[in-house]
Amino acid sequence: MNTLSSKTLKKLATRPEFYVFIIILLLSLFIQAKSGLFFSNNNIVDLLQSMTVPLIYAICAYLGFISTGPDVSFPLIAALSGYLATQFVFVTGFDGPIFVVFLVAIFFGLIMGAINGFIIANYNFPSLIVTLGTTSIFSGILLGVFEAGRIKLPESMIAFGNKSLFEVTNAGTGLGSSLPMTFLIAVSLYILTYLFLNFTMAGRGVFAVGGDETSAERAGFNVKRIRFGVFTVNGGIAAIAGVCYSIESTYFLPTEFAGKEMIVIAAVILGGTRLLGGVGTLTGCVLGTLLLTIVTNSLILIGVPIYWQKFIIGAIIIVGTAISVIQISDLKGFRRNKRRKVGVA
């Protein structure tokens, strides 16, 4: 039994998400000790609500990293898709089920994601450069062509936003919080992504392509098709995030979408996803997102000013990136030593 426990601990110690979990635990206990409010029911619900859209974004970033490379276009795909879906409701006067609005947004998101995927897969351009370029294009369309501004959502969308899974009230402070239905959407996307990556051949292909493109081709995977598919699906997922964000806010706020990508990418890398692809877990993705959500939302409980929160987030980004770079260097060193041994033999 002791041997089994020792092996389990050693295995956990090699996983980056284990250390992220320890940091989350220590930070939570520290905030609780200082404020006495961290583990209150309304604060926990507020954290879960704040995680909703970042978690959906994180799935986009995660899929990009493990298959090809960074995708930084998902916030603007979310913004443009959400805007077009909102305009669909206004123009048509649609007052039916909310899932139709999501389908409209997903349709436009898939088109934008397919543009990314087509360029990356067919011309083998770096995903960072391509998605940076399309980010500017989508932003120009949103703010230039459509002249999008602050828009109050149609009543049918606001009605869905007002629905909640449950509500809680803190007996001590009297503060109440509710967990919106959008959280259920984020959890559903997480489960579907997990099942796809771990229990389908196409999901294994995503990891294979990110790990070693040549080996993936020899194993029979269509590299171009997988990369095209990943970025296309990313567009659809980002579109869902765009509608969720607007619904939670009850307003469409175009300027609120830009700039979210770096914090999300930092969360994903911090959770153990490797910059060069092929390695990473959704669990680490969730934990990294939770850590940055705690830093962003809960440090205020102990009186940490906003500018210090930004400082801490910046430090976390640097540390997370450094860890990933060290992992890559260690991997290259391991492969180099392995080749030398084979040569000597």
Side-chain angles (χ1 to χ4, degrees), residues 78-93:
L80 185 51
S81 300
Y83 174 79
L84 292 171
T86 303
Q87 289 302 309
F88 161 78
V89 177
F90 276 124
V91 171
T92 63

Side-chain angles (χ1 to χ4, degrees), residues 239-257:
I240 295 172
V243 177
C244 286
Y245 186 84
S246 296
I247 286 174
E248 288 182 4
S249 307
T250 69
Y251 280 87
F252 175 78
L253 305 166
T255 56
E256 291 291 312
F257 288 86

Side-chain angles (χ1 to χ4, degrees), residues 3-345:
T3 305
L4 182 61
S5 300
S6 177
K7 287 181 178 179
T8 303
L9 288 174
K10 286 181 179 178
K11 187 176 180 180
L12 284 174
T14 63
R15 301 174 71 91
E17 55 264 41
F18 173 73
Y19 296 101
V20 177
F21 174 76
I22 295 298
I23 294 171
I24 290 172
L25 182 61
L26 294 175
L27 182 60
S28 302
L29 292 173
F30 175 74
I31 297 173
Q32 175 66 23
K34 288 288 186 179
S35 68
L37 296 172
F38 183 84
F39 292 112
S40 61
N41 54 7
N42 65 299
N43 186 62
I44 297 299
V45 170
D46 286 341
L47 281 177
L48 293 176
Q49 179 183 358
S50 298
M51 273 188 68
T52 300
V53 174
L55 178 57
I56 300 175
Y57 279 160
I59 293 173
C60 292
Y62 173 73
L63 289 173
F65 271 118
I66 63 171
S67 64
T68 305
D71 178 359
V72 296
S73 65
F74 53 84
L76 264 299
I77 292 178
L80 185 51
S81 300
Y83 174 79
L84 292 171
T86 303
Q87 289 302 309
F88 161 78
V89 177
F90 276 124
V91 171
T92 63
F94 180 77
D95 194 26
I98 191 67
F99 78 86
V100 175
V101 180
F102 277 100
L103 288 177
V104 172
I106 291 170
F107 171 76
F108 290 112
L110 290 174
I111 291 175
M112 287 180 269
I115 293 172
N116 284 335
F118 178 80
I119 298 172
I120 292 167
N122 286 277
Y123 299 102
N124 205 28
F125 290 166
S127 62
L128 176 62
I129 303 302
V130 173
T131 54
L132 273 173
T134 54
T135 293
S136 296
I137 292 172
F138 301 149
S139 178
I141 293 172
L142 179 65
L143 301 176
V145 176
F146 293 119
E147 299 181 349
R150 185 173 183 267
I151 305 171
K152 185 174 182 179
L153 296 186
E155 290 301 322
S156 58
M157 296 177 70
I158 293 176
F160 179 78
N162 290 333
K163 293 179 181 178
S164 58
L165 294 172
F166 57 84
E167 298 180 359
V168 297
T169 302
N170 188 319
T173 63
L175 295 174
S177 300
S178 60
L179 190 63
M181 297 293 290
T182 50
F183 181 75
L184 192 60
I185 294 173
V187 172
S188 299
L189 285 172
Y190 170 87
I191 293 172
L192 288 172
T193 305
Y194 179 84
L195 294 175
F196 168 74
L197 290 175
N198 291 279
F199 297 99
T200 68
M201 186 58 68
R204 295 187 184 97
V206 172
F207 283 106
V209 169
D212 191 323
E213 179 180 329
T214 304
S215 297
E217 285 182 338
R218 289 174 180 171
F221 292 109
N222 188 319
V223 174
K224 288 185 177 180
R225 185 177 298 173
I226 288 174
R227 284 181 171 160
F228 175 79
V230 165
F231 283 91
T232 301
V233 169
N234 263 8
I237 295 174
I240 295 172
V243 177
C244 286
Y245 186 84
S246 296
I247 286 174
E248 288 182 4
S249 307
T250 69
Y251 280 87
F252 175 78
L253 305 166
T255 56
E256 291 291 312
F257 288 86
K260 304 292 184 183
E261 62 277 3
M262 293 313 299
I263 294 178
V264 172
I265 288 173
V268 172
I269 293 174
L270 192 65
T273 301
R274 189 173 294 161
L275 285 169
L276 291 183
V279 175
T281 66
L282 275 172
T283 301
C285 194
V286 173
L287 290 173
T289 304
L290 176 59
L291 175 58
L292 289 189
T293 302
I294 291 173
V295 171
T296 305
N297 291 273
S298 292
L299 287 184
I300 195 172
L301 294 176
I302 55 175
V304 177
I306 292 177
Y307 54 83
W308 277 113
Q309 293 177 27
K310 292 181 178 180
F311 173 85
I312 294 170
I313 290 173
I316 289 174
I317 290 173
I318 293 172
V319 171
T321 305
I323 291 171
S324 184
V325 170
I326 291 170
Q327 288 175 335
I328 292 168
S329 299
D330 290 343
L331 179 63
K332 288 181 177 178
F334 172 78
R335 288 176 176 172
R336 194 180 300 115
N337 292 333
K338 190 175 180 180
R339 282 195 293 267
R340 284 174 182 172
K341 288 180 180 179
V342 172
V344 171

